[in-house]
Every structure is written in C-alpha cells, then in structure tokens.
Amino acid sequence: MRRRTRRGPNDTESTGKSGQEIPQGQFAPLRPTYPESAPSRSMPIPPVPPEMTFKAAEAGEPKIIVETQPESPTVPAVPARAVTPSEPKGYVVLTIGLPGSGKTTWYKRRGVQPLSSDMLRTILFDDITDQRYSGLVFSTLRSLLRARLIAKMPWNYVDATNLSAHERRQWIKMAQSFGYEAQAVFFDVPFEICMERNSKRDRVVTDDVMHKMAERLKPPTFQEGFAKITVVRVKGAGGSTPAIADTASTDESSSSEA
C-alpha cells in the first residue's frame, strides 16, 4: 500500500482545521487595546411616580413590579352601548295538530311547500301510506332542515303532527343553534271535526290511532322556546284545548283537509 505523503506547513492565509500547524514567517495578529474606563458621572435619580409601586427584593429573590397605567385625560371615555337583541337569521315554523285538523290546507292557502314526513315516505318508499322506518323518515327530515339552515334559507316549514313537547324539542334546539327563531302554528280543532274529516280522506287513520294521538297532543308553550305561537281554529267552533296562557295570534280557518 502506498503511504500518504506528509504535507508541508500551511503557507496560505486561509484558516486551517483545528490542530493544523501555524504558518511560519507571518506577523502576529493585531490585538486592540482599550483605555481605562472613564469615571462614571453621577446622574440624578428621578423620583418614583406615585402610580408605580416597587417591592424590595432580597438577593437572589425574583422581583415583581406592578405598574398602574393612568387614564389619559385627552381621550374621552367611550360610552357604553345599549345591548339590543340581535335579529334572527330566519325562522323555523312547526305545525302542530291532529290528522284532519287542516295543516295541509293551511300550507296550500299560503303557497308553501313544507318539509313533510308524507313527502319523504313517497320519496323513500314510493308509498305515502308506508309507515315503516319512522326513525329513518324523521332523521332524514331533520337532515333536510339542517341543510336548509346551512344554506341560510330564511323561512323553513316542518309539516308533521308534532304532538308533544318531546317531539318538538329537537326542532327547536336545531333552530336556535343556527340562530333561527322557532315559531309554532297550533291547530286547535275539536276532535270530532278531525274525526269527521279523517273519515272522508283517501288515507284514513284508524279511530284507535286517532284517540291515542289525541291523548298525546299538548298545546305549545313559550317555555319550550317558541318566539311566536299562532292558534288556528275553525269558524264557529270552540277550541278542543284550553286557551294558551301567553299572548298568541289567532287564525280562524274554515278548511276541511288535514
């Protein structure tokens, strides 16, 4: 094997690696010298302002300085604004009533296409009378309402019986979570009139089911979260339920369909 030749001394001005031989024949590096520091002038110590408080600290102990910023007399104080309730982004309207109470006619009179459980049964099962998978129907209905709220649609109507406060709670909660106002349209129609109308419909609800639904029907209240309640009654007929205690608008109707 060939041995590596030993390199000669470094005659260049470049900095070599650590441990490399110092080049010979070069001048010693310049070393700056500094004059002795001049005596410091004694400066007057400014007085401590009253708004600053110092805590004396012992050697090695951390020191805390607390400063209170004075108010500037040149900047006027900003008056507090009156807090006003913000306007809702839109409205979610729930219709509440038994089959035959006039909900469908109420929507038709106003030219409104609501989100309807009957509509979804037709879309999902090709049959409006198919009562299977009620959980699937209403979960899909809630998803459709959620999509409308995300799209910031101002008016949203939900056509279902919505008999109890428990059934209405999820609709109200969803509306409020998106900043929408929940309203109720309560069809306060006597049970006998609903039964009579139901018997003339193409899709008849059995008498046993009608009685069970009537037992579950509870009028809406403002305590549930509704901002407005509209009561729909038949002309010349008294309501089937006690009057709602709080202020609510009344809409008398002579409709004959559910």
Side-chain angles (χ1 to χ4, degrees):
M1 297 178 62
R2 294 181 58 185
R3 293 184 178 180
R4 298 177 58 184
T5 59
R6 178 175 294 181
R7 295 183 180 178
N10 186 1
D11 296 332
T12 65
E13 295 182 357
S14 62
T15 304
K17 296 182 180 180
S18 177
Q20 199 170 37
E21 183 180 357
I22 299 177
Q24 298 179 0
Q26 293 189 10
F27 295 101
L30 295 176
R31 297 182 180 180
T33 59
Y34 300 94
E36 295 183 359
S37 59
S40 59
R41 298 180 180 179
S42 59
M43 299 294 292
I45 301 176
V48 179
E51 63 270 10
M52 298 185 64
T53 304
F54 295 92
K55 176 185 176 182
E58 299 179 358
E61 182 182 352
K63 182 172 62 176
I64 299 176
I65 302 176
V66 180
E67 177 181 349
T68 303
Q69 185 177 10
E71 296 182 0
S72 176
T74 59
V75 180
V78 180
R81 295 185 301 172
V83 179
T84 57
S86 58
E87 292 294 329
K89 295 180 180 179
Y91 306 89
V92 174
V93 182
L94 303 183
T95 51
I96 302 167
L98 295 172
S101 60
K103 299 188 297 299
T104 301
T105 302
W106 187 86
Y107 281 119
K108 287 181 178 179
R109 257 199 338 260
R110 287 157 177 77
V112 174
Q113 178 59 54
L115 298 176
S116 169
S117 56
D118 290 342
M119 173 195 69
L120 276 181
R121 287 188 174 94
T122 303
I123 294 175
L124 295 176
F125 313 125
D126 299 327
D127 186 0
I128 195 174
T129 63
D130 195 329
Q131 298 297 314
R132 299 178 301 164
Y133 310 114
S134 292
L136 174 62
V137 170
F138 283 95
S139 64
T140 306
L141 199 62
R142 286 190 292 271
S143 298
L144 289 176
L145 176 61
R146 182 181 179 86
R148 287 182 61 87
L149 299 184
I150 292 175
K152 300 180 181 180
M153 302 303 293
W155 285 93
N156 306 272
Y157 296 87
V158 179
D159 182 12
T161 55
N162 295 312
L163 301 177
S164 65
H166 175 74
E167 296 172 6
R168 302 187 285 258
R169 185 180 305 152
Q170 291 187 344
W171 301 110
I172 299 172
K173 186 176 180 180
M174 181 185 298
Q176 293 176 345
S177 66
F178 279 88
Y180 278 64
E181 180 180 287
Q183 299 183 4
V185 180
F186 175 50
F187 291 81
D188 188 16
V189 180
F191 180 70
E192 295 76 14
I193 295 180
C194 293
M195 290 288 289
E196 180 184 356
R197 293 174 178 174
N198 177 64
S199 62
K200 298 177 181 179
R201 299 169 64 188
D202 295 333
R203 182 168 54 90
V204 178
V205 181
T206 63
D207 293 351
D208 182 55
V209 173
M210 286 289 292
H211 280 89
K212 291 181 179 179
M213 295 178 73
E215 293 175 357
R216 291 167 47 206
L217 177 61
K218 301 298 179 184
T221 63
F222 291 104
Q223 287 74 19
E224 297 179 50
F226 290 113
K228 178 182 177 182
I229 299 175
T230 302
V231 181
V232 181
R233 292 193 175 105
V234 179
K235 290 182 179 180
S240 60
T241 58
I244 297 176
D246 301 286
T247 57
S249 59
T250 303
D251 182 12
E252 292 189 352
S253 172
S254 59
S255 60
S256 60
E257 297 181 11

